[in-house]
Amino acid sequence: MRILAIETSCDETAVAIVENGTKVLTNMIATSRDAFAKTGGVIPEEAARKQLECMLPMLHQALKEAGCTKDDIDAIAVTKGPGLMGSLLIGTVTARTLASIWGKPLIGIHHTMGHLSSTWLDTTEDDQPQFPVLSLSASGGHTELWYRTAHTQGHLLGRTRDDAAGEAFDKGASLMGLPYPGGPSMAKSAESGDDSAFDFPIPLKKEKTLDFSYSGLKTALKYAMRDHPDAKTEDLAASFQKAINVQLLDRFQAALEQYPDAKEVHLVGGVSANQHLRKICAVLPIKLRAPTQIRYCTDNAAMIASAAYFLATEKPETLGEKFETGASIPLTEALSA
Ligand code: KG4
Ligand code: ZN
């Protein structure tokens, strides 16, 4: 089954064609992120205008790259939310129109469902992830820990009480004067820093919870910068990155104690691109997986096509089912305990 997917939840215009949820025929992305480096964040109106310009040329290019015509496509998938409403509408209106004129079923996918499927991309038949899986999805918009027994079966173990992990990277980097997006720039700076230079607190470490929190850490960074005006940015970056990542690892360890039957742990979402996080999580006693390529960690359309395939396989009734585009929609619609 070949699915053409469109993802436009934030500032990116992404189009992909994926076979049977794993084989990526093309995965294209155009981003206006560079334009937002100056503003330090996305301007929604501006992002949507750029997406409108990119959408049709990218669809043509994606079909060409994959060597497909509309007759080779079995279904259209699109991110239905959450995200920036103007951006989501560009994607969903395009997908609805395409599905209607091509006569193909349309599948609306929750953005997080896409991230959760990203560890299946480019896997071979004898190296498919095995359920139950403990999945941490950490991005600029959410930080959630899931226990899943199938693609569409599972429950939420913990989520952030304030900022998302990626948002903590972005805000911390901005305080340090590092460019947007903060995750990659802080990771780069941290490479030449001393991660024991500052002893930042690990939020909620003593609490019996699988939730996350970052606001205290941000405040600690502000005080450290005030009290040590000559501190090296590299040291601040390395210490701050360590505090975020150790908390993520700590939650995995606590979750594994509660769910010893888990066969694999998965790191997904933009923050899973972080090499320090991947390195420290290697101590976990079971198989650790992150997306096979960095471009599958950050927002992309291949993961949406993959999620659509598994949703259609496990819940065929959702193929062609009506859905609403929404800036904030609960994931529970697709994943039920
Ligand atoms: O999943 P994603 O592309 O978009 C959202 O759904 O939000 O995640 C973007 C987030 C940003 O906050 C960015 O700073 C963070 O992921 N990120 C990273 C790295 N690359 C991207 N955080 C830490 N280390 C990285 N290497
Ligand atoms: Zn995302």
Side-chain angles (χ1 to χ4, degrees):
M1 184 177 186
R2 276 192 190 147
I3 298 185
L4 181 149
I6 298 174
E7 141 73 43
T8 57
S9 64
C10 189
D11 59 23
E12 70 291 332
T13 311
V15 179
I17 301 173
V18 178
E19 212 170 80
N20 297 337
T22 54
K23 190 172 174 204
V24 181
L25 303 184
T26 183
N27 178 44
M28 300 185 51
I29 183 152
T31 165
S32 47
R33 200 152 276 189
D34 288 350
F36 299 122
K38 281 186 234 86
T39 52
V42 178
I43 302 170
E45 188 64 34
E46 194 66 25
R49 204 170 303 143
K50 287 265 188 304
Q51 283 160 327
L52 201 52
E53 278 170 26
C54 295
M55 197 75 249
L56 290 181
M58 286 197 52
L59 279 170
H60 283 295
Q61 189 64 25
L63 285 165
K64 202 168 142 196
E65 264 193 25
C68 293
T69 69
K70 69 176 172 51
D71 299 330
D72 303 311
I73 304 297
D74 300 299
I76 312 282
V78 66
T79 304
K80 61 181 178 180
L84 302 172
M85 198 56 182
S87 296
L88 288 167
L89 283 171
I90 308 280
T92 51
V93 169
T94 307
R96 286 180 203 278
T97 311
L98 213 51
S100 162
I101 58 175
W102 284 1
K104 311 279 177 186
L106 179 65
I107 312 169
I109 293 293
H110 191 291
H111 183 76
T112 307
M113 275 293 280
H115 280 301
L116 293 177
S117 298
S118 63
T119 32
W120 269 259
L121 293 170
D122 284 349
T123 55
T124 54
E125 213 158 295
D126 47 5
D127 186 35
Q128 294 262 310
Q130 300 296 310
F131 288 110
V133 171
L134 276 174
S135 303
L136 171 76
S137 186
S139 77
H142 67 273
T143 303
E144 293 170 357
L145 186 57
W146 289 90
Y147 172 79
R148 296 189 304 145
T149 50
H151 288 277
T152 57
Q153 295 286 317
H155 55 271
L156 186 64
L157 304 180
R159 66 194 323 166
T160 184
R161 295 182 184 174
D162 38 59
D163 290 347
E167 202 178 355
F169 272 108
D170 293 337
K171 289 183 179 171
S174 159
L175 284 171
M176 293 174 207
L178 293 168
Y180 174 85
S185 58
M186 195 185 297
K188 180 100 199 65
S189 174
E191 278 172 18
S192 48
D194 172 8
D195 68 6
S196 56
F198 292 91
D199 192 15
F200 288 123
I202 310 297
L204 306 180
K205 180 129 176 96
K206 293 198 177 67
E207 281 189 40
K208 266 202 167 327
T209 175
L210 293 173
D211 279 349
F212 306 84
S213 165
Y214 298 99
S215 57
L217 187 57
K218 207 172 55 194
T219 309
L221 173 64
K222 275 189 196 156
Y223 287 141
M225 291 179 71
R226 184 198 63 188
D227 298 341
H228 305 274
D230 298 327
K232 277 172 64 188
T233 303
E234 292 82 357
D235 291 347
L236 286 165
S239 307
F240 192 78
Q241 170 179 263
K242 185 170 97 178
I244 293 180
N245 291 347
V246 167
Q247 185 191 42
L248 297 176
L249 170 62
D250 182 71
R251 294 303 177 269
F252 262 141
Q253 285 168 323
L256 270 175
E257 277 174 27
Q258 291 177 32
Y259 296 90
D261 63 331
K263 291 205 176 84
E264 300 190 5
V265 290
H266 290 192
L267 282 173
V268 299
V271 176
S272 69
N274 191 280
Q275 296 302 326
H276 174 266
L277 176 63
R278 291 182 183 202
K279 206 162 103 194
I280 64 167
C281 284
V283 302
L284 292 167
I286 56 173
K287 185 166 174 73
L288 171 74
R289 257 183 224 265
T292 56
Q293 302 200 31
I294 296 298
R295 59 206 171 101
Y296 300 152
C297 298
T298 45
D299 290 347
N300 66 86
M303 67 184 195
I304 302 300
S306 178
Y309 171 78
F310 292 117
L311 182 63
T313 314
E314 290 182 6
K315 293 188 173 174
E317 69 279 8
T318 53
L319 206 64
E321 204 177 59
K322 281 202 174 108
F323 64 86
E324 303 239 328
T325 306
S328 59
I329 38 173
L331 182 57
T332 40
E333 275 175 36
L335 265 177
S336 53

